[in-house]
Amino acid sequence: MRFLLFTIALYLCCPSLKAANAELDSLLTKANELREFYEDFNAISHYKKALNYDSTNLNALFHIAYLYSRQGWLNKVDEERVVLHRKAMNYAEKAYHHHPKSFEANLIMAG
């Protein structure tokens, strides 16, 4: 109970925390929109910016891994495909490390 009260008090007293949460939400919303329109690399850029606010954000980690993987499958140049799949695996491992029981982290690790 004390932790909950402390968290609420901290949130109310720290406008910068509110602004950071709003910025994170804005970046994730924009990234999701870009992903829906298949603008994968622009979406990845927004998801990475979101990780600056929350480095363990499952939504961002999952989608970065997924989008790098998708680009790896679409790419025709073998060397570039390898690089993209390695980047995908890196973010998949981060997602799994921070969220080992989540469906998304396990799904992206399964590749």
Side-chain angles (χ1 to χ4, degrees), residues 51 54-62 91-109:
L51 291 177
D54 178 4
S55 63
T56 66
N57 185 281
L58 180 59
N59 184 6
L61 291 168
F62 171 81
Y91 282 94
E93 288 172 350
K94 288 179 185 179
Y96 185 77
H97 174 75
H98 294 293
H99 308 278
K101 295 184 179 184
S102 78
F103 171 78
E104 294 87 350
N106 281 275
L107 177 67
I108 204 67
M109 279 298 289

Side-chain angles (χ1 to χ4, degrees), residues 2 5 9 22 39-40 52 56 61 66 72 81 94-95:
R2 281 189 261 168
L5 292 174
E39 294 186 37
D40 292 355
N52 290 331
T56 66
L61 291 168
Y66 168 74
R81 290 178 79 169
K94 288 179 185 179

Side-chain angles (χ1 to χ4, degrees), residues 31-44 47 62-76 80-81 84-89 108 111:
N32 289 333
E33 290 171 1
L34 290 165
R35 178 180 44 82
E36 288 174 8
F37 287 102
Y38 299 97
E39 294 186 37
D40 292 355
F41 289 109
N42 286 333
I44 288 169
Y47 285 123
F62 171 81
H63 283 103
I64 292 170
Y66 168 74
L67 293 171
Y68 273 134
S69 182
R70 179 164 73 184
Q71 285 301 309
W73 284 110
L74 294 173
N75 199 304
K76 303 289 187 218
E80 292 175 12
R81 290 178 79 169
L84 290 165
H85 283 297
R86 283 187 182 148
K87 288 182 179 182
M89 192 62 189
I108 204 67

Side-chain angles (χ1 to χ4, degrees), residues 8-25:
I8 292 170
L10 183 63
Y11 186 75
L12 293 174
C13 294
C14 299
S16 61
L17 183 59
K18 290 182 200 177
N21 285 337
E23 184 64 23
L24 174 62
D25 290 343

